[in-house]
Amino acid sequence: LKCELEEVKSSLDSAYETYFSFEFRMLRVRGMTKTAEFASEIEIYFRQSSSDTSVNATVDIEGDFFKVIVTKGVTAIVTIGDAMKQQYVYDFFVNEKNKLPMISGIDELGNVMLDDAKSFDTMLIAGKPRSGKSWYVLGIIASLICFNSPEDVQFIIVDPKESNLFKTLALMPHVAGLHNDEHILEVLNDIIDNEAPRRKRLLADNRCDNIWDLRKKGVRVPILYLVIDEYITVRSNLKEKGMEKELDSKLQVLISQLPSQGIRLIFVPHRATGVVDKTNRTMLQFTASVKGSNDEVCDTLGIKNWKHELTNPGDVALKSSNMKDPLYVRGVAFGTSDEENSDLIESVAKAFYKMGVDLPDMSTLQVAANRDEDYIRDTLVGNNRVQFNVNNLKKNDW
C-alpha cells in the first residue's frame, strides 16, 4: 500500500494450519486490488532464503476479506491409505454410484480431491524423469484397480522402458497386456479393428448408445484403458521410421470415436509441447503437469497463466472437465518407496486371486492381450487357490 503499517486498517480474522499450508483471512483494505504484489510480499517472509522457490502464496478477494494461502514447500508423501482414513474419502469409494472412483490429488489445505473417472475418457499426465510422474500415474491406476473387479476394468500397458513398476503391476488380474513399444501400432490396430467392432455390435444388438447403458442391461464389458508410458520415446522411435503420423491418426480414432464403447487412453509424455497432436489435445478431459515449469504447465493444460511454482516431486498442476479452474495439488502415492509399491501391488494381486477372481474374455485382442495367466497364477498363489474367508486371515495378514 506504500504507507506505514499503523495506517493500514486491516486485521487478521482467522488462521489455520494444515500439513501443506497456512490459510489466513484478513479484513480487506478497500481499493487494494494488486493481489499478485501482495502475494509476492508475503512469500518473502516465509522463504528460508532468497533462492528458496518452494514457498508460494496466493491471495484472493472474498467479499470483505483477503483469503491468503501460503504453501510450506514440504515434500510429504501422502498415500491412498492415508487418504482412506478420512471418512468422506472412504464413503466416496464405497458408494456404488461412483463407477470409477479415484484420487486426483491433495489440495493446499490437505483436502483429498475425489473424482469419478467415468467423466474422463482421456488423461494426459506430463512430467520429466524424477518429477514424481510415475508415482502419480500409479496412484491413479491403483485407485481404478483396487476398487473394481477385473470384469469391470482392464488395462493394456505400453512401457518402452520395461520398468519393474509396470512388470509388477502386470501381476494384477486387471492387466490384460504388457508391451514395450516395438509393436505399438499393431496393438492399436488390434484395439481399433478387432475389439472396437465387437463392442459396437454389442451396443447395437442391445440398443445402447454407450457402455454404461449396456451395463444397466446386465451386459458386463470392462472399461479398457490403453496406457502409453514414455510417450515421447514411442513417438520418436516411430518418427525414425516415418510412422509418427500413423500413430497420431490411430490415437485420434481412439480418443474421438471409441470412448462410448468403453475404450480409453492414458498417455504419459515428458512434455506436451511438440509431442501431442493439437487436435488430440483439444479432446482431453484430464490433464496434469507434474513438477513442470510455468511454461510447460501452460502448454500442457492449455492455459495462459500459471503462477504456482512446482518445485518438489509430486507437485502437480491439474485441470479436468470437473473443475472450474486449474489447481495446484500434491499427487497421492500408492506406497512410500519403490520397494513398498512393488510389495503392495503383489499383495493386492494375491488378494484378488485368493478371493477367487474371474477374468473377462479378452480373446478378441489377438496382439494386445498377451497375459500369461497360468504363469501369473503360479507365481502369486501356486496351486492353493481358495475362496476368500476373513476367518482364515491371521492378524499379520491385515
Side-chain angles (χ1 to χ4, degrees):
L1 289 175
K2 295 180 175 61
C3 64
E4 296 299 321
L5 184 61
E6 291 77 10
E7 299 177 48
V8 178
K9 305 300 181 184
S10 180
S11 59
L12 184 67
D13 179 70
S14 63
Y16 298 96
E17 181 179 8
T18 71
Y19 198 86
F20 297 112
S21 65
F22 301 101
E23 179 179 352
F24 307 103
R25 278 172 59 87
M26 302 169 62
L27 188 64
R28 181 167 68 87
V29 178
R30 298 191 181 279
M32 165 64 174
T33 58
K34 296 180 179 179
T35 55
E37 292 183 12
F38 188 1
S40 297
E41 185 72 14
I42 289 173
E43 289 173 352
I44 294 171
Y45 292 94
F46 282 86
R47 289 175 173 167
Q48 299 295 317
S49 67
S50 60
S51 61
D52 180 9
T53 59
S54 64
V55 174
N56 286 272
T58 59
V59 179
D60 293 301
I61 296 175
E62 294 185 346
D64 291 331
F65 295 92
F66 292 122
K67 177 182 175 182
V68 182
I69 297 177
V70 184
T71 58
K72 298 178 181 179
V74 296
T75 57
I77 296 173
V78 179
T79 67
I80 293 175
D82 294 327
M84 291 293 289
K85 293 175 184 177
Q86 305 294 320
Q87 187 64 44
Y88 70 96
V89 178
Y90 175 84
D91 291 342
F92 184 86
F93 272 87
V94 298
N95 186 344
E96 293 185 3
K97 291 182 180 179
N98 301 316
K99 301 303 181 184
L100 298 171
M102 60 173 271
I103 297 173
S104 298
I106 313 292
D107 73 11
E108 291 176 300
L109 301 180
N111 300 311
V112 182
M113 297 188 59
L114 300 165
D115 277 301
D116 187 346
K118 178 182 177 182
S119 303
F120 310 139
D121 295 333
T122 306
M123 300 185 192
L124 182 149
I125 301 167
K128 296 176 182 177
R130 296 177 293 280
S131 64
K133 171 191 63 180
S134 295
W135 277 28
Y136 185 60
V137 173
L138 174 62
I140 290 174
I141 294 177
S143 293
L144 299 175
I145 283 179
C146 290
F147 296 91
N148 286 282
S149 78
E151 294 175 290
D152 292 323
V153 178
Q154 285 287 307
F155 290 83
I156 303 293
I157 298 172
V158 177
D159 174 27
K161 291 191 303 184
E162 302 186 50
S163 64
N164 182 62
L165 171 63
F166 283 119
K167 286 179 181 177
T168 308
L169 195 62
L171 295 173
M172 290 285 195
H174 307 70
V175 180
L178 176 64
H179 305 262
N180 57 29
D181 64 323
E182 184 177 355
H183 301 293
I184 176 67
L185 294 180
E186 288 89 337
V187 168
L188 284 165
N189 284 336
D190 200 15
I191 293 171
I192 294 170
D193 298 336
N194 295 325
E195 181 64 13
R198 178 181 79 91
R199 292 177 176 232
K200 187 175 181 179
R201 285 194 299 272
L202 279 173
L203 291 174
D205 291 345
N206 289 276
R207 298 180 182 178
C208 294
D209 292 325
N210 57 61
I211 194 170
W212 305 107
D213 292 339
L214 196 62
R215 286 189 175 188
K216 290 177 183 177
K217 291 192 173 183
V219 182
R220 203 168 182 181
V221 179
I223 299 297
L224 178 62
Y225 281 97
L226 173 64
V227 181
I228 306 178
D229 193 28
E230 300 294 331
Y231 181 75
I232 190 170
T233 300
V234 174
R235 201 166 190 277
S236 295
N237 290 342
L238 286 175
K239 188 174 183 179
E240 291 178 2
K241 303 175 184 178
M243 303 172 73
E244 78 276 13
K245 290 185 179 180
E246 187 175 350
L247 175 65
D248 289 339
S249 64
K250 292 183 187 303
L251 288 182
Q252 190 165 346
V253 170
L254 195 151
I255 293 170
S256 62
Q257 300 179 28
L258 304 188
S260 64
Q261 299 168 23
I263 298 174
R264 299 178 162 205
L265 176 66
I266 301 175
F267 57 138
V268 190
H270 288 173
R271 64 181 190 277
T273 309
V275 175
V276 182
D277 182 86
K278 287 186 177 181
T279 303
N280 290 336
R281 285 166 58 194
T282 61
M283 295 181 281
L284 307 182
Q285 293 85 28
F286 185 101
T287 53
S289 177
V290 186
K291 201 184 174 185
S293 67
N294 285 4
D295 288 343
E296 289 169 337
V297 169
C298 290
D299 184 70
T300 301
L301 274 57
I303 58 179
K304 293 182 179 180
N305 296 298
W306 178 261
K307 297 179 181 179
H308 198 302
E309 297 286 342
L310 306 180
T311 57
N312 297 311
D315 283 352
V316 181
L318 179 64
K319 179 184 176 184
S320 80
S321 55
N322 289 344
M323 293 178 178
K324 180 181 178 181
D325 299 303
L327 291 177
Y328 161 77
V329 300
R330 288 283 301 165
V332 70
F334 195 46
T336 59
S337 67
D338 289 335
E339 182 179 2
E340 187 176 51
N341 283 337
S342 295
D343 290 343
L344 282 169
I345 292 167
E346 189 166 337
S347 295
V348 174
K350 287 180 179 179
F352 271 105
Y353 278 102
K354 287 183 179 180
M355 283 189 288
V357 67
D358 292 313
L359 299 180
D361 181 9
M362 305 295 288
S363 58
T364 308
L365 293 168
Q366 301 169 14
V367 177
N370 64 352
R371 181 181 183 84
D372 188 339
E373 184 61 23
D374 292 336
Y375 168 78
I376 291 173
R377 282 183 184 271
D378 188 58
T379 299
L380 291 173
V381 295
N383 297 318
N384 298 317
R385 183 179 182 226
V386 296
Q387 187 64 28
F388 179 73
N389 187 334
V390 174
N391 296 321
N392 290 338
L393 284 178
K394 298 177 183 178
K395 184 177 180 181
N396 289 340
D397 290 332
W398 290 100

